[in-house]
Amino acid sequence: MVRKRLGDILVAQGLLTEADLQETLNNKPSDQKLGDALLQRGIITERQLIDTLEVQLGIPYVSLFRYPFDPKLFNVVPKDFAKRKLLVPLKTVGDRLFIAMNDPTDFITIDDLRLTTGFHIEPAIASKEDIVKTIAKYYDEESYDELLEDMPQTAEEQQNELDDSDAPIVRLVNQLLSNAVSQKASDIHLDPQENRVLVRYRIDGTLRTERTLPKSMQQMMTARIKILSNLDITENRIPQDGRIKTTVDFRAIDLRVSSLPTVFGEKIVMRILDLSQNLTDISKLGFSELNMQRFMREISKPNGIVLISGPTGSGKSSTLYAALNKLNSEEVNVITVEDPVEYQLEGINQIQVNANVGLTFAAGLRSILRQDPDIVMVGEIRDKETADISIRASLTGHLVLSTIHTNDSIASITRLMDMGIEPFLVTASLNAVIAQRLIRRVCRDCKELHPVTVREKEIAAKRGIQLETIARGKGCPACNMSGYKGRMAIHEVLVVDEDIKDIINRGGSAAEIREIAIKNKTIFLIDDGLLKVKEGMTTTEEVLRVAMTD
């Protein structure tokens, strides 16, 4: 029997165009499988790939969500082997061992398992995410009773254990980090309560409790994390900040650690920066066509200021880095001053703010201007001094990119004036303000179309958008039953033209600026969000969570 190739089946099912297939085949590394390359580029979902492999290979698909595993089998297949080959033992029937594999065509691994276990191997297909979560849950999960039994009791023993790589507390902290990375969490929160400690992960922008630990483990966990991030473990009355550079499951991870004294002990928050994730491609930021044109035009100007506004965690840094990456070339000198330097970009000179030695944003900026820069990136405009020097830099032939904490693009102009910047300086230097927010995407695997409600129809009609159907996720193992998987940005690009400059110079109101912006066909946050709802990418609840209607 001639087996059809995966690419041909995907094209035949209409999940892929011939052009996409050829482009992927030409650009992928020679050792990468076609399925993995298509997933990486976001052309198909893992569920679509699995369904196709099921047809192509005649091998059944198995969902590991709430699967009744036999714990004894986890001793039959070693953890390292399971992790490396992405497989999980399911059950035994007589002399047959059923195995869930991400790649059931890996016959060498199947042979290895047959020889080492003595069983006849029956493969099934499972998603990579399902397998990773299962390995984290069943292989890494030592019962907390065991961990607690192993915990040292005296202060001296506890101190000695903190540096021992095989100590229970070290294993526990490593396990927490590994689980967070495998679940694509952006932050880990250790919340001390009166009688317990909560471990919470922020996944796709929402926090959820991962597990509850006994209060007795709090002190050692805090001390272990402080040792890793070079913080003072004897000081627990003042907030501290640190960093951890580590490798989790063969991936380089950077953690920003913050400790804060609370009534029940120190609360620790770790922000995870996954250095292996490529976020420097400007076309993957979710800009609509018009916004993309305007944004590219503004950052291509030789001088002036382009501001990106939004609250903490709205993806401002990613947009800045993507813009810098686009502008970075041999002909230009790009220098940044940041607090902290989140991602290191090749070919760009990055300065880390250090207030303890007097290297503030303002001081760093002053020095930068003596370094003959073409493009300057300031991490954040927080005060009048930084704003003044940024404006001076933009007026002397430099392009300045920066962020500012405001609700929307028009509020950013008011904020600059609140800092005490003269209106004529704002108009002379400001090119554009981009406001942005992150919203969750509807899970592509369990997406269903529903008719819109009357209320949703009204909200969209008010903005001049026709909504007929709306996509919602019904919940599946891939999205942890939430109906959402991954995030995307919505944008508002306000170009400061002559009309807006006139209003600013004569001290006009934000409402007047808004009128001109509407006349210029500016897409506001709510509009961009509703357009993405119309395209079936997200839901109205998500858009209204971050953007206000008039």
Side-chain angles (χ1 to χ4, degrees), residues 180 184-188 202-205 270-273 487:
K184 296 189 172 64
S186 61
D187 301 82
I188 305 170
R202 188 180 290 281
I203 299 170
D204 286 344
M270 293 182 272
R271 160 71 58 90
I272 302 172
L273 301 168
R487 288 193 291 174

Side-chain angles (χ1 to χ4, degrees), residues 108-127:
I108 297 169
T109 299
I110 292 173
D111 273 353
D112 281 354
L113 274 172
R114 188 170 52 78
L115 292 168
T116 53
T117 62
F119 283 102
H120 178 71
I121 305 298
E122 293 280 354
I125 309 175
S127 74

Side-chain angles (χ1 to χ4, degrees), residues 177-342:
L177 293 181
S178 179
N179 282 359
V181 171
S182 68
Q183 291 189 43
K184 296 189 172 64
S186 61
D187 301 82
I188 305 170
H189 290 237
L190 298 183
D191 282 349
Q193 310 282 313
E194 192 170 3
N195 308 315
R196 58 199 178 141
V197 181
L198 297 182
V199 178
R200 302 198 292 166
Y201 291 168
R202 188 180 290 281
I203 299 170
D204 286 344
T206 48
L207 271 172
R208 72 155 179 265
T209 303
E210 177 68 11
R211 63 176 64 147
T212 308
L213 301 175
K215 188 74 175 170
S216 56
M217 293 167 86
Q218 180 184 330
Q219 203 118 26
M220 284 192 73
M221 279 192 70
T222 307
R224 173 65 189 157
I225 291 165
K226 282 182 159 185
I227 284 171
L228 286 173
S229 46
N230 290 325
L231 299 180
D232 181 354
I233 61 168
T234 60
E235 181 56 82
N236 54 14
R237 296 159 305 170
I238 56 168
Q240 294 186 71
D241 291 313
R243 291 189 87 148
I244 303 174
K245 254 189 162 45
T246 181
T247 306
V248 177
D249 297 339
F250 316 110
R251 285 154 73 180
I253 300 292
D254 209 348
L255 296 150
R256 290 211 326 249
V257 182
S258 165
S259 78
L260 185 74
T262 69
V263 180
F264 300 121
E266 282 178 284
K267 173 178 165 72
I268 303 261
V269 176
M270 293 182 272
R271 160 71 58 90
I272 302 172
L273 301 168
D274 188 343
L275 304 176
S276 63
Q277 277 188 343
N278 186 13
L279 43 60
T280 50
D281 186 349
I282 212 159
S283 62
K284 292 201 170 81
L285 295 177
F287 275 105
S288 64
E289 206 175 318
L290 179 66
N291 280 344
M292 184 67 160
Q293 283 171 7
R294 288 180 173 178
F295 182 59
M296 290 305 296
R297 192 176 66 226
E298 294 309 317
I299 63 169
S300 305
K301 288 183 175 173
N303 55 286
I305 297 181
V306 176
L307 287 180
I308 299 176
S309 85
T312 310
S314 59
K316 299 190 297 295
S317 299
S318 302
T319 306
L320 268 185
Y321 282 124
L324 282 182
N325 207 44
K326 182 81 179 165
L327 297 169
N328 186 21
S329 70
E330 231 175 77
E331 295 83 50
V332 291
N333 178 16
V334 184
I335 309 184
T336 75
V337 51
E338 305 167 59
D339 181 20
V341 171
E342 288 186 26

Side-chain angles (χ1 to χ4, degrees), residues 522-533:
T522 301
I523 299 171
F524 292 101
L525 283 171
I526 181 94
D527 303 327
D528 198 30
L530 289 172
L531 288 169
K532 287 183 165 76
V533 170

